[in-house]
Amino acid sequence: MTENTQQQTAPTTELPTQYAPAEVEGPLYQRWVERGYFEADAKSEKPPYTIVIPPPNVTGSLHLGHAFEHTLIDALTRRKRMQGFETLWQPGMDHAGIATQNVVERELAKEGKSRHDLGREAFVERVWQWKAESGGQISGQMKRLGDGVAWSRERFTMDEGLSQAVQTIFKKLYDDELIYRAERIINWCPRCLTAISDIEVEYQDDDGELVSIRYGEGDDSLVVATTRAETMLGDTAVAVHPDDERYKHLIGRQIKLPLTDRTIPVVADTHVDPEFGTGAVKVTPAHDPNDFEIGQRHNLPNLAVMDERAVITVHGPFQGLDRLEARSAIVAALRAEGRIVAEKRPYTHSVGHCSRCKTTIEPRLSMQWWVKVGPLAQAAGDAVRDGKVKIHPQEMEKRYFDWVDNLHDWCISRQLWWGHRIPVWYGPNGEVVCVGPDEQPPTGEGWHQDTDVLDTWFSSGLWPFSTLGWPERTESLEKFYPNSVLVTGYDILFFWVARMMMFGLYAMDGTPPFHTIALHGMVRDQNGKKMSKSFGNVVNPLDWMDTYGSDAVRFTLARGANPGVDVPIGEDWVQASSKFANKIWNATRFALMNGATVEGELPDPSEMSATDRWILSRLNKTVAEVDAFYDDYQFSKLSDALYHFAWDEVFDWYVELSKTTFFAGGEGARVSGRVLGEVLDVMLRLLHPVVPFVTETLWTTLTGGESVVIADWPKDSGFRDAAAEQEIALVQRVITEVRRFRKEQGLQDAQKVPARLTLDGTTLAAHEAAIRQILRLQPEGEGFSATASLPVAGATVALDLSGTIDIEAERKRLAKDLAAAEKEKAQANGKLGNEAFLAKAPDNVVDKIRGRLAKADEDIARIQTQLATLPQA
């Protein structure tokens, strides 16, 4: 069968009567770390298996999304470690530029200060101080969950090595003319006072207003509609479609811009949809990305009318007003002049918000640094098209291609102080010098460094190779790059995955950063609703861990994890997983007390009972099934397979069927004890990656091995016994049917009933003792009267229920059931005899009705037999 090659000591069967996760988990994890089980050796000759942790923000704490993702990654790496791979799960944290700066600025505000009171250098020092004291609490929480990461390799995106990597790739991109500086429309946060990228903008439907404004006079007038009336102060044209007959006479002419002393041209542009609205649009190049493009095509001036805080800077009456104040004031002024043609309130439309602070984004013309993504994105798309990188599930490929094939150039500069400062110096005479990590920046009067820092995603995009020592060709880089798989949520396919693909292929000579991208969904509440503080349904996983244990939280999350699909989770499910952990504990404890052992060779199948051979056959099928599910990232299916094998087949069937053997003692008990030990050994190793704590305690107690963390992963020996499986299936049918009948009669589980068993001599007879014990069936004895007879699976179980049931009430109940079964049969026959129905009905519907007919016939036969065996009144 399977063989564990670890050094073993004499096992002990002593286990506490109850499993107490709080007492077990902390000390176990500390022992694993102290023994170095999670560390990775670059000099090892074992094949590598590498996964990076999606670096959580230094400001963050463990939430259910983290717990979910970390559970899946930990399960993969624990299994691969057991399979003999040199496994590296790379930990670390992201400096989270905007989020961290906001946290420290709020702390300063409590002291009545701003970052400007400290100055840049002192403020950055204050952030480092905050990180040392308060940042990174998530590391301790990861240990609570059981994350098997290589802690000695922990990295931070602002540490010295990663900072060198950032400067190196910036310089390389700059020299290759893939980084440039230009004035473009960007997403600007008036609260954070920085540019943010498209993917850091969250869109939501807001209630606003849509106003229609008449520009110009008389026949030379036209109407435009806008939700942002305040931007009209920056209009430099009105655009119409060149083929729109309504406005052809105005194209090229000047019209009066209301509330100002300016005139603006009417331009013809094919971007305008003549069917939408009035077919005329106001053009504000400095405050709208589409308008900027129109402005570029028609050489229009860019007139900025708001400052960095979205305060109006032009036109006396409105100067100094916040954008929303100005919007109301301008609409009122236009209304007073009779320029408002129509108003619609509320007008619900999609509005962009800063993902960090939720402030409404303001499109703004600004000088920024950009990555020219065209060739990088092409390579990232081709790597998937060519099969170098596989996306799982495959249907997610379309979303990936839709993104990388339509990428705009990436704005990488941020107007912050916390982050990787852009390594560019400006000279007194307009010189621009990009400085690499080994180069000295220019000095002298008039030279100064760019004040901006890089987008956080710029440094995290280097994560798969910068954490391994790049740009140096380190042993770790040679051993562990590329990553085996990236496990991450589909929501950051664009944020992070695409950037790692672009940078990995660019920096590592065309080698992608990972072989497989395994995408999972988002954790939602038990009703499938998004978790949100505003909904009041956010769960702290640490609370559940305190109550039910980390294994219960992990198993619940893994059991809900279907590739690329959102995961609902509720406390009831965690409670059920806790019961599963307790079931494993109690059943293993019972088994150890009743002869389960791993000592000695596994007996030859010829020495085993059919029950023994059945469970070993099922065990090996489960090993094969779990392996296949792991390789396909089907965590839900592998968890279900393990749950049902452990609870249903091992504990509910094998242990129960074997009790008579164990109680009888002798050679049969010895053989079954060794078989049960083998089953528990393999089952606990299979379960370990998902539920590591309870399995560690049980496995080391069972086997005396050092740790299941470094035990061998089970292999399918190929042992199958179809005959034994068929035989036990018959036993299960008999027991299940009699159990159902007992329940229908209202008999208590422990209530003993006299019975006569007529069994098939070649199969079921050998199991009579087990059947009687499980079903609480006594020998028939003197005066036995068969008041009920159940034919099932080639056997007949006659029960003497005299004195236990009301015969007349039972006859009425059976008659009622018989009538229902006959009605069901008549309905099914009616449909199957209807040629018109059969001609139209799908095959699966017809098959279902045939199944109903067969079930009705079976029920009728069973009930008629039961009625015939009831005593006459």
Side-chain angles (χ1 to χ4, degrees):
M1 301 305 296
T2 56
E3 185 176 331
N4 172 39
T5 59
Q6 260 192 103
Q7 181 67 38
Q8 295 183 348
T9 58
T12 173
T13 58
E14 295 181 3
L15 282 172
T17 55
Q18 291 185 325
Y19 177 50
E23 298 174 13
V24 169
E25 293 174 353
L28 272 187
Y29 188 86
Q30 187 60 33
R31 188 186 313 156
W32 292 336
V33 172
E34 289 172 354
R35 293 180 178 178
Y37 293 155
F38 304 142
E39 296 303 322
D41 182 5
K43 299 181 184 296
S44 169
E45 294 184 0
K46 297 178 182 178
Y49 186 80
T50 315
I51 297 183
V52 295
I53 184 176
N57 288 353
V58 68
T59 59
S61 60
L62 190 76
H63 56 64
L64 266 179
H66 288 127
F68 172 56
E69 185 168 81
H70 290 201
T71 294
L72 305 188
I73 298 174
D74 197 39
L76 290 174
T77 53
R78 284 179 183 268
R79 172 178 176 253
K80 284 296 181 180
R81 188 180 293 111
M82 295 172 75
Q83 285 182 316
F85 286 77
E86 192 62 33
T87 303
L88 170 59
W89 183 9
Q90 174 67 55
M93 285 183 291
D94 190 283
H95 65 278
I98 296 177
T100 306
Q101 180 156 319
N102 282 346
V103 168
V104 178
E105 287 197 85
R106 284 196 295 270
E107 293 294 318
L108 286 174
K110 295 175 184 176
E111 304 169 14
K113 297 178 182 178
S114 73
R115 60 183 165 117
H116 300 286
D117 294 323
L118 272 67
R120 184 171 193 140
E121 186 174 336
F123 175 77
V124 170
E125 183 59 37
R126 179 68 176 262
V127 180
W128 278 108
Q129 180 184 337
W130 174 88
K131 177 190 179 292
E133 295 173 356
S134 306
Q137 62 174 313
I138 197 170
S139 296
Q141 296 164 345
M142 288 165 56
K143 294 173 183 177
R144 283 282 312 277
L145 186 65
D147 286 4
V149 300
W151 287 113
S152 69
R153 292 173 172 266
E154 187 174 12
R155 303 302 299 268
F156 180 54
T157 50
M158 287 281 285
D159 69 27
E160 183 178 352
L162 269 64
S163 295
Q164 182 184 30
V166 168
Q167 195 171 352
T168 298
I169 201 161
F170 186 100
K171 171 71 171 174
K172 179 174 170 60
L173 289 162
Y174 183 87
D175 290 345
D176 287 346
E177 299 183 349
L178 292 172
I179 281 183
Y180 64 95
R181 192 168 184 244
E183 191 175 43
R184 299 272 185 84
I185 291 283
I186 47 88
N187 302 300
W188 181 266
C189 177
R191 157 63 183 79
C192 298
L193 299 180
T194 182
I196 64 174
S197 65
D198 290 344
I199 54 179
E200 292 171 301
V201 178
E202 294 178 347
Y203 287 91
Q204 66 183 49
D205 287 340
D206 288 355
D207 285 341
E209 61 180 356
L210 180 68
V211 294
S212 298
I213 310 167
R214 179 169 53 83
Y215 285 20
E217 305 294 342
D219 292 339
D220 291 345
S221 69
L222 37 67
V223 175
V224 299
T226 182
T227 58
R228 302 166 66 218
E230 70 278 8
T231 64
M232 67 160 291
L233 301 176
D235 286 359
T236 56
V238 172
V240 298
H241 194 276
D243 298 331
D244 194 332
E245 294 293 336
R246 295 171 292 178
Y247 304 119
K248 275 196 172 181
H249 67 289
L250 289 176
I251 295 172
R253 294 175 60 179
Q254 297 282 324
I255 60 172
K256 181 75 164 55
L257 179 65
L259 305 183
T260 72
D261 57 2
R262 293 191 292 119
T263 60
I264 57 176
V266 177
V267 299
D269 197 284
T270 55
H271 171 76
V272 179
D273 180 1
E275 302 299 323
F276 184 77
T278 64
V281 297
K282 59 191 288 299
V283 181
T284 320
H287 293 279
D288 183 274
N290 292 322
D291 293 3
F292 178 78
E293 297 296 330
I294 293 175
Q296 293 290 100
R297 289 193 287 273
H298 298 278
N299 297 314
L300 300 175
N302 301 316
L303 180 58
V305 297
M306 279 180 259
D307 67 10
E308 62 182 7
R309 297 184 185 276
V311 172
I312 302 298
T313 58
V314 298
H315 201 68
F318 312 109
Q319 193 167 358
L321 295 180
D322 170 82
R323 55 183 168 170
L324 298 182
E325 296 172 332
R327 183 176 300 171
S328 298
I330 287 171
V331 170
L334 289 166
R335 191 183 299 114
E337 288 192 4
R339 293 281 177 181
I340 300 296
V341 176
E343 297 180 65
K344 185 176 181 181
R345 293 190 188 88
Y347 178 72
T348 303
H349 61 128
S350 182
V351 178
H353 296 260
C354 173
S355 62
R356 306 294 181 187
C357 70
K358 312 309 176 186
T359 300
T360 300
I361 290 301
E362 190 63 43
R364 185 171 187 243
L365 186 65
S366 179
M367 182 67 75
Q368 301 286 344
W369 285 94
W370 304 81
V371 171
K372 187 185 297 182
V373 299
L376 302 175
Q378 177 70 41
D382 289 346
V384 175
R385 290 187 183 93
D386 297 344
K388 290 182 181 178
V389 178
K390 297 188 182 302
I391 294 180
H392 186 87
Q394 191 173 4
E395 54 265 28
M396 286 285 181
E397 283 186 3
K398 182 180 185 302
R399 295 182 65 172
Y400 177 78
F401 292 136
D402 287 346
W403 179 256
V404 297
D405 292 346
N406 296 284
L407 269 180
H408 299 296
D409 284 359
W410 172 19
C411 177
I412 56 171
S413 46
R414 299 292 180 267
Q415 289 64 56
L416 304 170
W417 286 357
W418 173 244
H420 296 282
R421 196 163 173 181
I422 288 176
V424 171
W425 272 255
Y426 304 104
N429 300 310
E431 302 95 334
V432 178
V433 176
C434 180
V435 177
D438 300 322
E439 301 170 350
Q440 291 296 319
T443 58
E445 187 176 349
W447 282 93
H448 64 281
Q449 187 177 359
D450 196 299
T451 57
D452 290 350
V453 300
L454 288 163
D455 177 12
T456 294
W457 296 102
F458 189 93
S459 52
S460 59
L462 314 180
W463 193 250
F465 52 93
S466 64
T467 52
L468 298 173
W470 187 90
E472 301 298 323
R473 302 300 297 194
T474 63
E475 285 184 320
S476 290
L477 188 65
E478 295 292 338
K479 176 74 173 180
F480 295 113
Y481 186 92
N483 282 209
S484 306
V485 62
L486 173 73
V487 179
T488 193
Y490 63 71
D491 59 323
I492 58 172
L493 184 61
F494 318 128
F495 280 86
W496 189 44
V497 179
R499 280 151 173 69
M500 287 191 290
M501 286 286 283
M502 290 191 294
F503 281 163
L505 290 159
Y506 174 73
M508 297 300 293
D509 303 319
T511 302
F514 18 74
H515 298 301
T516 301
I517 302 167
L519 297 170
H520 58 71
M522 303 296 99
V523 178
R524 296 182 177 270
D525 73 12
Q526 61 190 27
N527 299 313
K529 193 173 184 180
K530 180 180 179 181
M531 287 192 176
S532 166
K533 290 180 181 178
S534 61
F535 296 153
N537 61 351
V538 173
V539 173
N540 183 348
L542 297 171
D543 293 340
W544 281 351
M545 286 185 222
D546 289 341
T547 304
Y548 303 108
S550 297
D551 282 335
V553 174
R554 289 171 61 114
F555 192 73
T556 305
L557 291 165
R559 203 172 179 193
N562 289 300
V565 179
D566 288 346
V567 183
I569 183 172
E571 187 168 2
D572 289 350
W573 304 338
V574 183
Q575 189 175 25
S577 294
S578 175
K579 290 179 180 177
F580 178 53
N582 286 322
K583 179 74 171 181
I584 298 170
W585 181 276
N586 293 331
T588 303
R589 183 172 177 271
F590 172 85
L592 288 170
M593 293 171 62
N594 287 275
T597 181
V598 296
E599 294 181 342
E601 293 293 321
L602 195 65
D604 188 84
S606 63
E607 302 176 51
M608 299 177 188
S609 68
T611 308
D612 293 334
R613 297 195 306 277
W614 163 74
I615 197 62
L616 290 175
S617 183
R618 290 297 308 133
L619 174 69
N620 279 282
K621 283 185 177 180
T622 301
V623 170
E625 193 175 42
V626 169
D627 273 333
F629 287 143
Y630 261 116
D631 292 341
D632 199 34
Y633 305 100
Q634 298 278 2
F635 296 97
S636 176
K637 291 181 179 179
L638 72 89
S639 299
D640 261 350
L642 288 169
Y643 176 89
H644 290 296
F645 176 73
W647 194 308
D648 300 345
E649 298 187 295
V650 178
F651 302 141
D652 280 0
W653 282 113
Y654 180 73
V655 170
E656 292 299 318
L657 288 171
S658 300
K659 278 182 179 178
T660 53
T661 303
F662 287 131
F663 296 161
E667 183 62 13
R670 183 195 70 78
V671 171
S672 292
R674 181 63 188 89
V675 169
L676 181 54
E678 178 77 7
V679 171
L680 290 176
D681 172 19
V682 173
M683 182 193 76
L684 291 170
R685 283 187 276 153
L686 288 175
L687 280 164
H688 173 73
V690 181
V691 284
F693 295 107
V694 67
T695 52
E696 171 79 341
T697 305
L698 295 175
W699 187 86
T700 53
T701 301
L702 169 71
T703 68
E706 179 185 340
S707 173
V708 71
V709 176
I710 54 172
D712 293 336
W713 181 253
K715 295 180 180 177
D716 174 12
S717 71
F719 178 81
R720 302 289 190 274
D721 193 322
E725 291 200 40
Q726 185 177 11
E727 182 172 329
I728 300 304
L730 291 175
V731 175
Q732 290 172 327
R733 281 184 61 194
V734 171
I735 292 172
T736 300
E737 185 62 27
V738 176
R739 274 178 172 164
R740 187 193 65 77
F741 179 77
R742 285 178 60 109
K743 186 176 181 180
E744 288 176 350
Q745 304 308 313
L747 298 178
Q748 298 298 314
D749 290 343
Q751 188 172 350
K752 295 181 179 180
V753 178
R756 177 188 300 135
L757 273 62
T758 306
L759 304 174
D760 183 333
T762 60
T763 54
L764 293 172
H767 303 279
E768 180 170 351
I771 292 171
R772 284 187 176 277
Q773 178 172 313
I774 292 171
L775 292 172
R776 305 292 191 271
L777 302 181
Q778 293 179 313
E780 51 192 280
E782 188 176 346
F784 176 82
S785 175
T787 59
S789 182
L790 303 175
V792 57
T796 301
V797 180
L799 304 173
D800 184 352
L801 301 179
S802 56
T804 63
I805 64 169
D806 183 331
I807 299 296
E808 191 55 37
E810 177 63 8
R811 192 181 301 281
K812 289 179 180 179
R813 186 191 68 80
L814 288 172
K816 183 178 179 181
D817 289 350
L818 181 61
E822 288 173 338
K823 181 180 179 181
E824 174 74 4
K825 177 179 180 178
Q827 289 177 341
N829 273 328
K831 288 186 176 181
L832 293 174
N834 185 333
E835 293 297 333
F837 170 79
L838 293 176
K840 295 179 180 178
D843 290 345
N844 64 317
V845 172
V846 175
D847 289 343
K848 187 175 181 180
I849 294 170
R850 286 177 178 145
R852 284 168 50 192
L853 177 60
K855 176 68 166 52
D857 281 334
E858 184 180 321
D859 288 344
I860 290 169
R862 173 177 55 80
I863 296 167
Q864 286 175 337
T865 300
Q866 289 176 244
L867 280 168
T869 58
L870 284 176
Q872 296 300 314

